Amino acid sequence: MTSETNVLHRPCTGPAVWKGMDLADCDEWVLRLSPAQIDELEAALRAVRRLDVPLLKVSGGDFPLPTLAGELERIADVLENGRGFVLVKRIPVERYSQAGASTIFWGLGQHLGVPVSQNAAGHMLGHVRDTGRTLSDFATRGYQTRQMLPFHTDGSDVLGLLGLRAARSGGRISVVSSAAVYNALLARRPDLVERLYRTHFLDRREEHAPGERPYYALPLASWSAGRLSMRYNRRYLESAQRFPDVPRLERADVELFDLIDELAGAPEMRLDVDFEVGDLLLLNNHVVLHSRTEYEDFDEPELKRHMLRLWLTPHQGRALTPDFWGDLQSPDAGPGRGGITPRDVIAHRTAQARPDRAAIDGCDQHRSKGKP
C-alpha cells in the first residue's frame, strides 16, 4: 500500500494532458525533414563510415548534426516537458542498406539519450518483426509477433521506432496521453485511483537469469517532483499470475485495468498515427501509452513488416520514485536506467565475487560488432 501523500488526487494539468481528437487535424506534433536536413543526416552517415568502427561504439559526437542537433534538443524538450511524443516524417530509408538506416537511427538516438538493453540478450538496437511466435508462449514478447498489442508502455524512459517496411495490412499505431487517461479515471472512478500506486507484479517473460525472480514488483503510477509517471502492460500483469507467489488480482484490479483500456481506446482520447515507411516515432513512456492493431504480413521475407527500435534514457530525464522500475532495478537518473539487464552482465557481476574466466570472456560475445 502506498502512502496517501504520494497519490495525486487532483487532475493533471499542462501540455502532457491532451486528447487525440484535438490533435488529429493538426500537425504540430509532426516534424517534416527538409532536403537540407536529410543532406545533414547523409553527411553524418558518411562521417561514421569513415570512422570504420562498430555501430554500438558510435557516439553523438561521431554523428555530427550542425543544425539538426538543435531540432533534436527541441524534440527532447517536447518529450519530457510537452505532449510527450513527436513523429518525424520520411527519413528516406529506401536509399540505404539496413546497416545505413540503422546507423542514422542510432546516431539520432545518441543525440537524444543513452540506449539501454531491450532484452536479456543485451540487444541495444532492436528489430520489431513477426517471428511466427505468439504471446501464449510466456517466453515471447509483443514485438516478436503480429498480434494486437493493447495500450501499454515499454520498459524505458523513451521509445523510438523507425519504419523500414510496412505490413500488407493492419499494424496501425495509436498513442494516448496517460495523464488524460488518469484524469478521466479520476472523474469516473476516484475510488480506483489509489490502486494505481499499489505494488503490482509484472511478468519478465522468461528474461531473468537463473536464481532471479521472474517478475517485477512495481507501482503503475508514481507522483514525483510534480510529475505523474505511469507504467502499464496488462498482458504482463495478467501473465504474472502464473507464478504461485504473486498475489491474486482482486476484482477492483480487473475493474481498474478494464477502465484504463476503455479510456485509452476511446476515439476521442486516442490519436491514430499515420506511420509510414521512413517515419520515426519518438515517445516518452512515462506520459504516453501506445498500441498496435494486429497486422497481415507479406509471404516474401524481404517484404515483411520491419521496424527498428531504440529504448533510451534521456540526457536530462525526470526524477522517479525509487520503486518505479521495480525492486530489481535502480531508479538512478544516470545512464542505463530502465531496460532489461542482459544475462551476461548478471553473470559478470557474479563472477566478480567468484572469478571465472569463461564467464568474464563471454560477457560481450552477443553484442553487435557489425560496422555501418
Side-chain angles (χ1 to χ4, degrees):
M1 183 78 67
T2 300
S3 169
E4 286 287 316
T5 60
N6 295 328
V7 178
L8 178 63
H9 292 285
R10 64 181 186 277
C12 299
T13 59
V17 183
W18 48 266
K19 291 186 177 180
M21 63 181 182
D22 297 326
L23 298 180
D25 294 327
C26 72
D27 61 358
E28 61 186 39
W29 46 276
V30 177
L31 170 63
R32 301 181 189 279
L33 295 179
S34 68
Q37 290 171 326
I38 292 173
D39 288 345
E40 202 167 283
L41 287 177
E42 295 184 343
L45 174 60
R46 291 192 295 271
V48 170
R49 285 173 170 165
R50 287 194 294 269
L51 290 175
D52 194 31
V53 298
L55 177 61
L56 301 193
K57 297 289 186 181
V58 174
S59 67
D62 298 327
F63 196 81
L65 299 172
T67 63
L68 194 53
E71 193 68 49
L72 293 173
E73 288 181 4
R74 184 191 70 81
I75 287 175
D77 183 65
V78 171
L79 294 178
E80 184 57 45
N81 303 307
R83 69 183 65 87
F85 76 99
V86 173
L87 181 68
V88 180
K89 294 292 291 182
R90 291 300 295 125
I91 296 171
V93 294
E94 66 278 358
R95 298 183 188 178
Y96 320 118
S97 65
Q98 181 176 307
S102 297
T103 301
I104 288 176
F105 187 34
W106 180 267
L108 288 168
Q110 288 288 317
H111 283 269
L112 291 168
V114 178
V116 297
S117 172
Q118 302 178 32
N119 54 32
H123 294 160
M124 309 293 277
L125 180 65
H127 296 268
V128 180
R129 51 192 170 191
D130 181 27
T131 62
R133 301 165 70 173
T134 69
L135 288 168
S136 60
D137 175 3
F138 292 126
T140 297
R141 288 170 50 202
Y143 72 92
Q144 300 170 309
T145 80
R146 60 182 178 87
Q147 291 178 250
M148 184 272 288
L149 302 179
F151 279 98
H152 66 283
T153 60
D154 283 5
S156 62
D157 294 277
V158 170
L159 166 67
L161 292 171
L162 175 63
L164 297 185
R165 293 192 297 270
R168 181 194 297 272
S169 63
R172 184 196 70 212
I173 295 174
S174 300
V175 295
V176 69
S177 162
S178 56
V181 170
Y182 188 93
N183 287 354
L185 176 64
L186 188 64
R188 285 265 297 272
R189 289 291 304 275
D191 58 303
L192 293 178
V193 168
E194 186 275 334
R195 190 166 290 268
L196 285 169
Y197 297 81
R198 297 185 181 190
T199 299
H200 293 264
F201 300 88
L202 203 65
D203 193 350
R204 296 177 68 182
R205 307 295 289 186
E206 304 298 319
E207 294 200 296
H208 58 288
E212 281 197 319
R213 203 174 58 209
Y215 55 83
Y216 294 122
L218 45 76
L220 302 184
S222 68
W223 176 245
S224 178
R227 294 175 186 265
L228 176 75
S229 298
M230 288 188 63
R231 190 171 183 188
Y232 180 69
N233 190 320
R234 182 169 185 170
R235 286 187 187 272
Y236 296 179
L237 289 163
E238 291 179 337
S239 66
Q241 292 289 292
R242 63 194 173 105
F243 303 115
D245 54 335
V246 168
R248 301 302 90 184
L249 291 173
E250 300 174 7
R251 178 177 178 179
D253 293 320
V254 176
E255 291 176 353
L256 172 64
F257 302 163
D258 285 345
L259 187 51
I260 291 174
D261 293 345
E262 175 191 338
L263 294 170
E268 69 273 14
M269 296 285 282
R270 74 171 194 265
L271 175 67
D272 298 332
V273 178
D274 183 18
F275 188 85
E276 301 176 305
V277 171
D279 289 353
L280 168 59
L281 177 63
L282 296 160
L283 62 84
N284 184 334
N285 281 299
H286 303 312
V287 297
V288 174
L289 301 160
H290 64 284
S291 70
R292 185 194 72 197
T293 61
E294 185 175 6
Y295 64 88
E296 179 184 352
D297 224 338
F298 293 95
D299 294 328
E300 300 84 352
E302 68 276 9
L303 297 179
K304 289 183 179 294
R305 184 181 189 267
H306 187 188
M307 293 192 295
L308 298 177
R309 184 175 73 173
L310 282 173
W311 281 4
L312 298 169
T313 299
H315 293 307
Q316 296 182 341
R318 64 180 54 199
L320 296 167
T321 56
D323 58 352
F324 182 82
W325 294 114
D327 54 344
L328 302 180
Q329 296 194 37
S330 169
D332 295 338
R337 75 175 186 180
I340 297 172
T341 303
R343 291 192 182 99
D344 65 354
V345 172
I346 297 170
H348 179 64
R349 290 172 181 167
T350 303
Q352 288 179 325
R354 187 180 62 188
D356 178 272
R357 193 68 257 163
I360 295 175
D361 289 345
C363 277
D364 292 321
Q365 287 181 359
H366 67 269
R367 292 198 169 57
S368 171
K369 294 180 173 60
K371 297 178 181 179

